Amino acid sequence: MGKSLKELVLVLDFGGQYKELIAGMVRGLSVYSEIKRGDISIAELKQLNPIGIILTGGPDSVNSPTSPKCSPELFELGVPVLGICYGMQLMCRILGGKVECGKFGEYGCVDVTHIASGKTSTALMSHRDSVTEPPDGFAVTMRSPNCIAAVENPTRKLYGVQFHPESKHTVGGREVIRRFLYEVCGAKGNYKLDDYIETAISQIREIVNESVLVNNRGKTDNNQVLLGLSGGVDSSVCAALLSKAVPGRLTCIFVDHGFMRQNEGNEIEEIFSKCNLTFIRVNAQERFLAKLKGIVDSETKRKLIGYEFVRVFEEQASLICSQESGNSAVFLAQGTIYPDIVESGGKHGATIKSHHNVGGLPENLAFEGIVEPLSGLFKDEVRVLGKKLGLTDKLINRQPFPGPGLAIRVMGEVTKAKLEIIRNSDAILREELEKAVIQRPDQYFTVLTDTRTVGVKGDDRTYDYVVAIRAVTTGDFMTCEYTPLPHELLGRISSRLTSEIPEISRVVYDITSKPPATIEWE
């Protein structure tokens, strides 16, 4: 939704986890991008008419008969192509070059040498296989200690890099993408979020106001929109955009599952109950806790919470849909964003964790259609959009918070007592970090482990919980480094946690990066 653009760059997915970073960087350079499957047909490519194509990385070997491939005709279209990592290897192999398996693998930051200038720079590598002989007509432009790092055939506008220019760890990586877009593809840079807002509002109104309804009630300007509001960035921006497009006709259902942070449910109600929409809060804490009784597996927790959310939402939606009569109908809105669609619909990518905001909503409700006004945007674009729509910095800069909430920051079975511990510990951590005179981490929270250890409080032996602190620095949330918080600050936080929360006997600090760990523990 919201796209009316003349120039498009396609990012073809071969199973790598950085495709969204690539597409996001392209958009950040004012060029619209979309992610498509690597085996997209030539007919569809021609119909989309991109000004450039980027082939992404992937976990497979291009020499494997089962590895994902693109059509060889792609390189004959005359459209500029940039192959990244697996994408470079695939292009070279299809065009007659040689790729060898497993001999020259490199991982992490590596020095690469620019052959023309002799200068070196640092680039992020993550590959087992390497191009050992480029195709005819290609020149080697960069090398690392172990492999060919970049090749090009300017005549055919075909380029390849073994490293990851989309990573912040690659020096000059953004410039590599910029030069490909503007110097090779001839991009004009006409992608602006202001245009997205105008187009999205127009399309929302067209869907909600002018659709011919399946029950023959005809066209109407009284149709209603129903949105499940979590209070997160995506659903909040979605609500703001919808209320601007169809003021007074949006109903937001806030399902309070009891896993929010301290005072968060009340804050959400205070903000949105004052907006030009109908706000309904459903207090379902006991219901969700009952569903999680005895459950310790993290993925099972996520699925049960997602399922129960749908059931609660369905009950409220049924009441609203049944109340509408005459010419009025109800449309379902969702705060789905582009990465949700990409991660949930990919052919080659591995499942890291499930999303319960894509699909799964009941089909038997009397909705006339679905409205997903953010489905073409990345998270950073959603934040910018929220600011343009007048939302507060506190709301749009709200830390990423998983849909299942604190339930997945409690290891083992979730109980009311454990939720109280994690909620209080999270509040102390946030309070200390927000008043500390340091550059604040991009995300920070506490984790209640399922481990108890011996401690001493006063003259008594204790046997209470271990709480972990997680604080990370990241530009994209696809990768991260732990934030080296000052020891004095950590000591103060630890002292408060153990003294103000009796059930905590020990505090540890998680210093693991992503990869190999994820940001959340579950």
Side-chain angles (χ1 to χ4, degrees), residues 419-438:
L419 285 170
E420 192 66 15
I421 296 170
I422 191 66
R423 191 172 285 117
N424 288 335
S425 65
D426 177 80
I428 290 172
L429 175 67
R430 285 192 289 141
E431 181 183 329
E432 288 294 333
L433 281 178
E434 287 165 13
K435 71 181 183 182
V437 186
I438 60 170

Side-chain angles (χ1 to χ4, degrees), residues 84-115:
I84 296 175
C85 196
Y86 179 93
M88 167 178 155
Q89 296 169 10
L90 180 63
M91 176 173 63
C92 288
R93 189 176 190 279
I94 288 176
L95 297 178
K98 185 176 181 181
V99 178
E100 293 194 21
C101 303
K103 292 183 179 180
F104 308 106
E106 293 170 311
Y107 302 92
C109 291
V110 174
D111 286 338
V112 294
T113 301
H114 301 248
I115 293 175

Side-chain angles (χ1 to χ4, degrees), residues 46-221:
K46 290 179 178 179
Q47 184 177 17
L48 290 169
N49 191 31
I51 64 169
I53 298 170
I54 299 178
L55 312 180
T56 67
D60 297 279
S61 170
V62 295
N63 292 322
S64 168
T66 59
S67 63
K69 304 287 195 303
C70 64
S71 170
E73 293 179 60
L74 179 149
F75 304 104
E76 308 301 327
L77 296 175
V79 178
V81 178
L82 172 63
I84 296 175
C85 196
Y86 179 93
M88 167 178 155
Q89 296 169 10
L90 180 63
M91 176 173 63
C92 288
R93 189 176 190 279
I94 288 176
L95 297 178
K98 185 176 181 181
V99 178
E100 293 194 21
C101 303
K103 292 183 179 180
F104 308 106
E106 293 170 311
Y107 302 92
C109 291
V110 174
D111 286 338
V112 294
T113 301
H114 301 248
I115 293 175
S117 66
K119 296 180 179 179
T120 62
S121 61
T122 302
L124 179 69
M125 294 280 197
S126 182
H127 64 99
R128 292 185 303 270
D129 300 352
S130 299
V131 174
T132 54
E133 294 181 18
D136 289 343
F138 279 73
V140 176
T141 57
M142 299 176 70
R143 287 187 179 274
S144 74
N146 290 334
C147 75
I148 294 173
V151 296
E152 66 175 30
N153 186 329
T155 302
R156 299 178 65 181
K157 297 185 178 180
L158 303 178
Y159 299 80
V161 291
Q162 184 60 66
F163 53 87
H164 288 274
E166 72 277 13
S167 169
K168 67 176 183 178
H169 300 295
T170 296
V171 176
R174 183 181 176 88
E175 179 63 12
V176 170
I177 301 293
R178 190 201 67 78
R179 291 184 63 188
F180 175 71
L181 296 175
Y182 287 92
E183 296 179 17
V184 180
C185 301
K188 297 176 182 177
N190 62 0
Y191 176 59
K192 297 181 178 125
L193 278 179
D194 288 337
D195 298 334
Y196 191 100
I197 293 174
E198 293 175 7
T199 306
I201 288 175
S202 174
Q203 291 184 355
I204 290 169
R205 289 173 177 168
E206 181 180 354
I207 292 171
V208 176
N209 295 346
E210 302 298 333
S211 295
V212 178
L213 308 181
V214 295
N215 56 11
N216 297 317
R217 284 180 289 193
K219 298 179 180 180
T220 175
D221 58 3

Side-chain angles (χ1 to χ4, degrees), residues 260-454:
M260 306 293 287
R261 291 171 287 204
Q262 195 172 79
N263 299 323
E264 209 161 33
N266 293 336
E267 291 172 359
I268 292 168
E269 182 171 6
E270 182 180 359
I271 292 171
F272 287 99
S273 59
K274 297 176 181 176
C275 297
N276 191 10
L277 51 84
T278 301
F279 182 86
I280 298 174
R281 180 174 181 175
V282 184
N283 293 309
Q285 296 92 331
E286 297 297 332
R287 177 170 173 172
F288 278 85
L289 270 178
K291 287 292 180 182
L292 294 184
K293 186 175 178 59
I295 304 299
V296 298
D297 177 70
S298 62
E299 191 65 10
T300 304
K301 288 181 192 176
R302 286 180 177 272
K303 289 178 179 177
L304 285 173
I305 292 170
Y307 178 85
E308 198 61 21
F309 174 89
V310 170
R311 300 285 77 78
V312 176
F313 182 87
E314 178 181 15
E315 292 165 9
Q316 294 296 316
S318 295
L319 292 174
I320 294 170
C321 289
S322 64
Q323 291 169 0
E324 298 301 331
S325 58
N327 282 338
S328 184
V330 180
F331 288 77
L332 173 66
Q334 296 187 109
T336 309
I337 65 174
Y338 198 37
D340 296 333
I341 295 172
V342 172
E343 290 180 23
S344 299
K347 177 182 178 183
H348 303 293
T351 298
I352 307 300
K353 59 186 178 183
S354 61
H355 289 277
H356 67 265
N357 59 330
V358 179
L361 287 174
E363 298 179 357
N364 59 338
L365 294 179
F367 292 124
E368 299 294 349
I370 294 180
V371 183
E372 294 181 310
L374 307 182
S375 61
L377 298 181
F378 289 101
K379 177 71 78 174
D380 58 340
E381 294 177 304
V382 173
R383 294 185 193 279
V384 173
L385 189 70
K387 195 167 185 67
K388 288 180 178 291
L389 290 168
L391 293 178
T392 64
D393 287 344
K394 182 178 179 181
L395 187 60
I396 63 176
N397 292 324
R398 181 177 183 257
Q399 282 202 48
F401 193 57
L406 297 177
I408 60 164
R409 292 177 182 171
V410 171
M411 305 296 102
E413 182 181 6
V414 179
T415 65
K416 187 176 292 186
K418 286 182 176 180
L419 285 170
E420 192 66 15
I421 296 170
I422 191 66
R423 191 172 285 117
N424 288 335
S425 65
D426 177 80
I428 290 172
L429 175 67
R430 285 192 289 141
E431 181 183 329
E432 288 294 333
L433 281 178
E434 287 165 13
K435 71 181 183 182
V437 186
I438 60 170
Q439 183 171 347
R440 200 175 301 167
D442 294 303
Q443 189 172 1
Y444 43 93
F445 53 88
T446 57
V447 177
L448 180 61
T449 74
D450 205 24
T451 301
R452 292 174 181 261
T453 65
V454 174

Side-chain angles (χ1 to χ4, degrees), residues 10 12 36-42 44-45 48 71 74:
L10 289 181
L12 301 192
K36 297 292 184 180
R37 285 171 38 158
D39 59 357
I40 184 174
S41 70
I42 295 299
E44 186 177 356
L45 272 177
L48 290 169
S71 170
L74 179 149

